[in-house]
Amino acid sequence: MADPEQTISQLHASALGQLELADTIEAVEAVRVDALGRKGKLNEISKEFGKLTPGERKHIGKLLNTVKQDLEARLEARKAALETVALDARLASEWIDLTTPAPGVRPGHLHPVTQVQRELEELFVSLGFAVLDGPEVESEYYNFDALNIPADHPARDMQDTFWLKDGRLLRTHTSPVQVRGLEMLGPPLKMIAPGRVFRNEEVDPSHEHTFYQLEGMMVDRDVSVAHLIYFMKTLLSAIFHREVTVRLRPGFFPFVEPGFELDIQCLICGGTGCPVCKQSGWVELLPCGLVHPSVLRYGGVDPEEWSGFAFGLGLTRLAMMRYAIDDIRLFASGDLRFLKQF
Ligand code: PHE
């Protein structure tokens, strides 16, 4: 056997050198197995003890134990140091700030059409109008007959209708609330009736089968076209907060006489023509007129004594003009990227 004392101090030095380089807990463990393990280098030396004198055995045994204890302590210290570094790194990357306020409920908001509707309701309430509601599933009587549109009248074809099996229908406009309002309130009255209406027609950028209107009616003594124009002007300047170019032309609706179409210059294209205005530069926004005597009679009101005006504002179309939305189908798309903009 070579000088055991020298072998031990060499093994000691080389183990310390390896330990110096070990930068993970696994590497420290490998140094331990290599030096101190059951088949480790220092244990190999004990196997040679038989060849030594009792005096040497005692001396070398003591040295071996000292070296083993020293290595054991240094391995432990190195391991502890590496564990601290690993823990610090984890704490730095995984910390939780318990004082950060919770994100809370993300607030939503009203649909753009509802926003416009609420705004107009407020305006009309301030002008003394009542806000009425009517059924979306309506009778043929209120949707057509009581509005002076008998069964064989071609005007029925103007509004393609969703019929129910029981003979009722999805209202094609908010005008049925005119007669319901006359019956309920009696004259004099000022009312609006915003709501959802349905038409069985092809869907395209400017037509939906489901959309919103806002009906308005005023019945009093001596109501004339002058009153109608005053309220329409008030309405438009409140809606757009700016000058809009309008035109009034005769319009035919069986429930008004005279009847008008109030068009506004298309605010999407500025009047040069686009899909929303069907390339005409104008958008029909406000059909209106003086309430037809027959409609007053259907509502139980004497047309000799009372007269009135009525209008049917396209709420959905108004929202399109207000926000420059060029495709009506976006409103009911449920697309949050669209809705979040309003
Ligand atoms: N109800 C009609 C439509 O939907 C609009 C209208 C309302 C016209 C009131 C005149 C008066 O087309």
Side-chain angles (χ1 to χ4, degrees):
M1 178 177 193
D3 179 2
E5 217 167 310
Q6 202 188 331
T7 310
I8 289 169
S9 74
Q10 271 168 8
L11 286 174
H12 191 193
S14 108
L16 289 179
Q18 282 170 31
L19 192 56
E20 194 82 11
L21 298 174
D23 53 4
T24 64
I25 290 168
E26 292 74 38
V28 173
E29 201 47 39
V31 175
R32 180 202 301 283
V33 172
D34 188 47
L36 300 175
R38 210 151 42 78
K39 292 178 179 163
K41 290 186 177 122
L42 287 169
N43 276 334
E44 294 294 316
I45 291 175
S46 326
K47 290 178 187 160
E48 311 278 329
F49 270 18
K51 298 174 187 164
L52 300 174
T53 66
E56 282 173 331
R57 212 178 290 163
K58 196 177 173 197
H59 171 65
I60 299 298
K62 223 175 171 181
L63 179 64
L64 204 52
N65 273 339
T66 313
V67 168
K68 279 183 177 177
Q69 275 167 18
D70 178 63
L71 274 180
E72 200 69 69
R74 287 172 191 263
L75 282 161
E76 271 318 306
R78 183 85 183 127
K79 208 170 139 191
L82 287 172
E83 271 167 357
T84 307
V85 170
L87 185 63
D88 284 350
R90 240 183 89 188
L91 287 176
S93 67
E94 290 181 7
W95 62 279
I96 297 169
D97 183 354
L98 294 174
T99 66
T100 305
V105 179
R106 248 168 295 157
H109 62 72
L110 295 174
H111 189 277
V113 172
T114 313
Q115 290 181 35
V116 173
Q117 178 182 327
R118 298 267 171 103
E119 206 175 296
L120 289 175
E121 285 175 7
E122 235 167 81
L123 169 74
F124 278 102
V125 166
S126 80
L127 294 171
F129 284 64
V131 181
L132 299 190
D133 210 1
E136 291 176 348
V137 174
E138 186 53 283
S139 68
E140 190 177 353
Y141 172 77
Y142 281 111
N143 196 81
F144 290 123
D145 301 277
L147 290 168
N148 203 27
I149 316 173
D152 55 357
H153 197 288
R156 285 211 181 185
D157 302 335
M158 283 162 58
Q159 301 182 352
D160 300 305
T161 308
F162 288 113
W163 291 94
L164 274 66
K165 286 202 180 106
D166 64 4
R168 290 184 300 164
L169 49 84
L170 297 184
R171 66 176 177 185
T172 57
H173 51 181
T174 43
S175 297
V177 192
Q178 286 187 24
V179 178
R180 288 180 176 277
L182 287 171
E183 287 175 348
M184 199 162 65
L185 302 172
L189 70 83
K190 287 188 282 184
M191 52 144 275
I192 57 165
R196 199 152 54 149
V197 303
F198 310 86
R199 296 214 188 152
N200 188 359
E201 58 182 329
E202 287 295 331
V203 171
D204 66 27
S206 54
H207 294 90
E208 256 285 18
H209 48 69
T210 303
F211 55 100
Y212 288 79
Q213 290 187 334
L214 185 140
E215 196 78 9
M217 185 169 71
M218 171 179 177
V219 174
D220 208 321
R221 293 175 207 278
D222 303 318
V223 171
S224 70
V225 174
H227 294 95
L228 170 63
I229 290 173
Y230 167 77
F231 277 101
M232 296 305 94
K233 276 188 171 167
T234 307
L235 172 61
L236 289 171
S237 56
I239 293 167
F240 290 107
H241 311 291
R242 61 167 156 149
E243 280 297 319
V244 289
T245 310
V246 302
R247 72 178 183 190
L248 198 66
R249 57 192 169 90
F252 173 72
F253 302 94
F255 37 96
V256 286
E257 179 59 37
F260 306 102
E261 283 283 5
L262 194 153
D263 302 338
I264 67 164
Q265 200 165 63
C266 182
L267 296 173
I268 307 281
C269 62
T272 55
C274 70
V276 172
C277 60
K278 289 179 239 155
Q279 309 304 332
S280 72
W282 296 91
V283 176
E284 288 179 16
L285 190 66
L286 206 51
C288 52
L290 294 188
V291 182
H292 196 285
S294 303
V295 175
L296 291 174
R297 241 177 263 121
Y298 273 114
V301 174
D302 181 2
E304 299 297 324
E305 203 180 331
W306 305 97
S307 55
F309 69 74
F311 61 88
L313 176 73
L315 260 188
T316 304
R317 195 158 285 173
L318 180 64
M320 291 176 77
M321 289 293 117
R322 158 77 81 82
Y323 299 117
I325 296 162
D326 61 4
D327 193 330
I328 193 171
R329 293 168 294 193
L330 287 166
F331 285 115
S333 66
D335 189 337
L336 288 179
R337 290 169 305 176
F338 168 72
L339 293 170
K340 273 181 179 166
Q341 298 173 57
F342 305 99

